[in-house]
Amino acid sequence: GAMGGVFSNGQLVVAYHRGGHGHGDVMVDIYDTNWVLQETIAVTKVSSDYNAQRPWVQIVGDRMFVSYDMGREPLNILDLQCMVSVYTKR
């Protein structure tokens, strides 16, 4: 589901988790003001034993920052890392 969104330069930017509970990736969709999809960015592409989740998005100047946590649960030990992916507008 969608976790974070921002309106910037006439575009709606939505960050969300795609996948099942305990496994999935962080995605960003960019829409125009009529909700017509302009671009989809796969922020992560994790293997089946990882989960990237709880994304948030912020735009500052020509940069988009997507924060999220990524982890796995081997042997019932929660192992999370906070990550930030940075994109520069083309």
Side-chain angles (χ1 to χ4, degrees), residues 8-11 30 39 59-64 86-90:
S8 177
N9 296 319
Q11 295 181 313
I30 301 172
E39 183 177 2
I59 295 176
V60 178
D62 65 349
R63 291 189 177 165
M64 178 176 70
V86 182
Y87 298 85
T88 303
K89 190 170 183 161
R90 299 180 230 153

Side-chain angles (χ1 to χ4, degrees), residues 32-78:
D32 67 16
T33 55
N34 293 314
W35 288 103
V36 175
L37 183 63
Q38 303 296 303
E39 183 177 2
T40 296
I41 299 169
V43 178
T44 65
K45 187 174 181 181
V46 298
S47 62
S48 63
D49 58 339
Y50 278 86
N51 189 30
Q53 60 188 348
R54 292 184 281 266
W56 195 256
V57 62
Q58 181 67 45
I59 295 176
V60 178
D62 65 349
R63 291 189 177 165
M64 178 176 70
F65 299 85
V66 182
S67 60
Y68 53 96
D69 63 69
M70 186 167 59
R72 59 189 177 129
E73 297 182 38
L75 304 174
N76 296 319
I77 299 171
L78 188 59

